[in-house]
Amino acid sequence: MVTYGAHPGWEALGDPSRLAIVQRLAERPCAVGELADELPISRPAVSQHLKVLKGAGLVVDQAVGTRRVYRLSPVGLSALRDQLDTFWRRALNGYQDIVDEAEESS
Amino acid sequence: MVTYGAHPGWEALGDPSRLAIVQRLAERPCAVGELADELPISRPAVSQHLKVLKGAGLVVDQAVGTRRVYRLSPVGLSALRDQLDTFWRRALNGYQDIVDEAEESS
DNA sequence: CACGAACGTAAGCTACGACTTACCGATGGT
DNA sequence: ACCATCGGTAAGTCGTAGCTTACGTTCGTG
């Protein structure tokens, strides 16, 4: 298993179906059935994926009558965004800024 | 499976071991053996992960004598960065910019 | 020229995750 | 009160990703 203590959002976005769900939710908030209609998987499969995305803090849900509307969570996405931005910035300047000093975050 | 035509980088970063490798490479360029020493997996395992990361365009390798030094690829990371930034921005403003055009009725 | 170091690849095993069908609870309308 | 809709959960199957060991190859060094 070996969790490495990484943000669960990366594993959540690693699945193609979940990334597709996130892409749909980036366009508009959706109920479970709507997502299942647009995707080549069953509705329970979508439900399970949403559970993972919710556990990773990437989506939030809201009960509307008998339906549950899901939408993206800005706070959850910002964590991944910042980390990926760090990777990109480090790679961009050719590791120039590493020479001086190191500050760590576990 | 069902590829959805997504960027392969998401699946590449979805594995905890590969994310750990990327984190190490974000600090400094590394050879395969160096990464294997810092990680709880064997050297061939690291090699296979690097192959996936390279296929996704997230890392580039350079032969230095008998060693292969890997480092992050800015261009590969920027694609993921932009997409994740789009997700984040859409979620942040509460889908305000979508309301005008799209209208659904069931 | 031979030996060791560093790496990639092949083969094989194992475990986990993604998916399905079936079932059940909750909500809303008539 | 009844029924239909919507969604989460359980149980079970199956594919495949990830890991290891073993081997082949390249490069540098004595």
Side-chain angles (χ1 to χ4, degrees):
Chain A
M1 206 204 203
V2 194
T3 164
Y4 292 103
H7 194 289
W10 294 114
E11 277 196 76
L13 287 183
D15 181 73
S17 296
R18 282 194 290 264
L19 181 62
I21 290 177
V22 170
Q23 287 176 332
R24 302 301 186 286
L25 293 181
E27 300 177 1
R28 64 186 182 283
C30 280
V32 183
E34 303 179 50
L35 292 169
D37 289 338
E38 301 178 1
L39 296 175
I41 57 179
S42 67
R43 185 193 51 74
V46 174
S47 215
Q48 294 165 6
H49 283 309
L50 286 171
K51 185 178 184 179
V52 175
L53 290 171
K54 184 181 178 182
L58 299 182
V59 302
V60 291
D61 59 335
Q62 178 185 6
V64 177
T66 166
R67 315 196 317 167
R68 298 218 120 224
V69 176
Y70 283 81
R71 58 186 157 85
L72 296 183
S73 167
V75 287
L77 289 172
S78 66
L80 301 183
R81 193 188 87 99
D82 294 344
Q83 194 169 0
L84 189 53
D85 196 67
T86 300
F87 293 160
W88 175 74
R89 212 177 327 249
R90 290 272 185 89
L92 193 62
N93 55 17
Y95 310 96
Q96 292 178 356
D97 49 87
I98 319 292
V99 193
D100 46 86
E101 177 54 46
E103 95 274 31
E104 290 296 319
S105 62
S106 165
Chain B
M1 337 184 193
V2 191
T3 165
Y4 292 103
H7 194 288
W10 294 114
E11 277 196 76
L13 287 183
D15 181 74
S17 295
R18 282 194 291 266
L19 181 63
I21 290 177
V22 169
Q23 286 176 332
R24 302 303 185 286
L25 293 181
E27 299 176 0
R28 64 185 181 282
C30 279
V32 183
E34 304 180 50
L35 292 169
D37 289 338
E38 302 178 0
L39 297 175
I41 56 178
S42 67
R43 186 194 50 77
V46 174
S47 215
Q48 294 165 5
H49 283 309
L50 287 169
K51 185 178 183 179
V52 175
L53 289 171
K54 184 181 178 182
L58 299 183
V59 302
V60 291
D61 59 335
Q62 178 185 3
V64 177
T66 163
R67 314 195 318 166
R68 301 218 119 227
V69 176
Y70 284 80
R71 58 185 172 84
L72 295 183
S73 167
V75 288
L77 290 171
S78 66
L80 301 183
R81 194 188 86 99
D82 293 345
Q83 194 169 1
L84 189 53
D85 197 67
T86 299
F87 294 160
W88 176 74
R89 213 174 335 243
R90 291 271 186 87
L92 193 62
N93 56 18
Y95 310 96
Q96 292 179 356
D97 46 274
I98 322 287
V99 192
D100 49 271
E101 184 181 346
E103 199 62 42
E104 81 283 350
S105 59
S106 67

